[in-house]
Amino acid sequence: MNRALRIIFSRYGIVVIILVLVLGVIALASQRQQTPLDGGTSNGNSTDDSSSEAFTEDDGLATEDCVGDDCYPDVELPQEAVDRSVEFAEAWLNPNGYSPDAWYDTIVPFLTDEQAELMQGVDPISVPAKEITGEATPEGAKVAIPMDTGTLTLTMNEGSNNSTELDWLVSAIDWEQS
């Protein structure tokens, strides 16, 4: 028994153990059949048309000629969406000095579920501004809010999330330093 342990914990034994582990991981990875884009087939030929329809269905926002800011429809936001974006910006600035978890709890009612997931774990100390310095300006689906060190641009969508019924929500956050 003692001799077997000596062999296993020698440098050659450890090399063999590592080699077995690496080969095991490679074997498990090569057996993975389902990938997100091929519908579960290993050769990419899916017989189920529902997965391809999900990628080709027109959502009304983007077109083949869509480049940059032209990807959003020319819809004028109602004042309620602009007001909601300003409310978010005020909470985003963290005037009460909340901890990261408490700050996240104050901004999540303003965010789409996807944006809330992106903001999870963000420290409010990374917010690059201290105060709003001007009036919010809507342009298409976006609202630009001037701040003391730059401009916060929010993309607004009407929808609901886990915290809020149907309302205007922030689906994208963009910061431009001045």
Side-chain angles (χ1 to χ4, degrees):
M1 179 70 168
N2 197 14
R3 183 175 179 176
L5 289 174
R6 193 175 303 142
I7 291 172
I8 290 174
F9 290 111
S10 70
R11 92 183 96 152
Y12 299 113
I14 292 175
V15 167
V16 169
I17 291 170
I18 291 172
L19 184 61
V20 168
L21 288 173
V22 168
L23 291 175
V25 168
I26 291 172
L28 287 173
S30 67
Q31 290 179 355
R32 187 172 187 271
Q33 295 275 331
Q34 187 174 2
T35 61
L37 296 179
D38 71 4
T41 60
S42 59
N43 63 2
N45 296 329
S46 176
T47 58
D48 183 15
D49 290 334
S50 65
S51 63
S52 64
E53 287 176 16
F55 292 111
T56 59
E57 188 175 310
D58 185 12
D59 61 3
L61 292 180
T63 65
E64 292 178 18
D65 299 328
C66 178
V67 178
D69 289 339
D70 296 334
C71 298
Y72 296 98
D74 292 330
V75 176
E76 194 63 38
L77 289 174
Q79 186 60 39
E80 127 186 15
V82 177
D83 294 343
R84 184 97 167 131
S85 68
V86 172
E87 289 174 29
F88 168 78
E90 290 169 347
W92 182 71
L93 289 172
N94 195 21
N96 299 322
Y98 290 128
S99 69
D101 289 336
W103 175 72
Y104 177 77
D105 290 342
T106 63
I107 64 170
V108 79
F110 297 98
L111 303 172
T112 61
D113 291 333
E114 295 83 16
Q115 188 63 38
E117 190 175 309
L118 292 173
M119 293 295 290
Q120 199 164 23
V122 173
D123 192 342
I125 200 157
S126 65
V127 173
K130 299 289 182 213
E131 65 179 337
I132 297 173
T133 59
E135 292 293 318
T137 308
E139 184 176 325
K142 297 182 178 189
V143 178
I145 304 171
M147 304 251 173
D148 55 342
T149 58
T151 303
L152 177 66
T153 303
L154 305 172
T155 304
M156 303 300 290
N157 287 326
E158 195 169 19
S160 62
N161 61 18
N162 294 332
S163 305
T164 307
E165 294 293 322
L166 187 63
D167 205 346
W168 286 95
L169 301 173
V170 176
S171 63
I173 302 170
D174 189 29
W175 175 256
E176 185 177 321
Q177 192 78 26
S178 59

